[in-house]
Amino acid sequence: KHLPYFCRGEVVRGFGRGSKELGIPTANFSEEVVDSFPSDISTGIYYGWASVANGDVHKMVLSIGWNPYYKNVKKSVETHIIHTFKEDFYGEILSIIIVGYIRPEKNFDSLDALIAAIRGDIEEAETALDLPEHQKLKEDNFFQMTN
Ligand code: ADP
Ligand code: MG
């Protein structure tokens, strides 16, 4: 019911869950940004659009989960942008539009099962975001910010 959800904020360091080692880096939003989310938004995996520092708009998958650093009382919001960047972008402003929901959070028996699930999420996001109704959001003025 909160979708599409528009959000902009700084990329901060995460708690090193080693997403990058899995080939799936996730850009973490600051605590302030996470606190600004609707408190009743479901945890789980979402898809949408993302732009770093007013750059090109790319497809993304996003996880809203419980933040182990805060003993799982606070949420974490992490965006994996479906694009290969030359460099990290800590400290940059990340703008996202959350467009759709894929699935709830799950625990996996193995790392391979986790990676397979994320690959599936990425495929689902890629397909869904090609729909004309979602392409429109890619062109949204939200991403045309100049400063
Ligand atoms: P952390 O625990 O600090 O979030 P990650 O292993 O999740 O570390 O890596 C996230 C960082 O990787 C991001 O903050 C960003 O600077 C960088 N990065 C590079 N490519 C991407 C991408 N395609 N999507 C998200 N983050 C990326
Ligand atoms: Mg991360």
Side-chain angles (χ1 to χ4, degrees), residues 5 7-10 29-38 77:
Y5 188 79
C7 175
R8 195 175 344 257
E10 193 182 341
F29 275 125
S30 69
E31 200 184 322
E32 296 75 63
V33 172
V34 175
D35 287 343
S36 71
F37 269 62
V77 178

Side-chain angles (χ1 to χ4, degrees), residues 11-21 24-28 78-85 87-90:
V11 176
V12 302
R13 289 198 178 267
F15 23 87
R17 281 201 293 208
S19 341
K20 207 175 278 172
E21 288 69 36
I24 309 153
T26 60
N28 294 52
E78 308 188 17
T79 304
H80 171 67
I81 304 173
I82 306 173
H83 176 76
T84 304
F85 290 88
E87 288 175 354
D88 286 351
F89 44 85
Y90 290 110

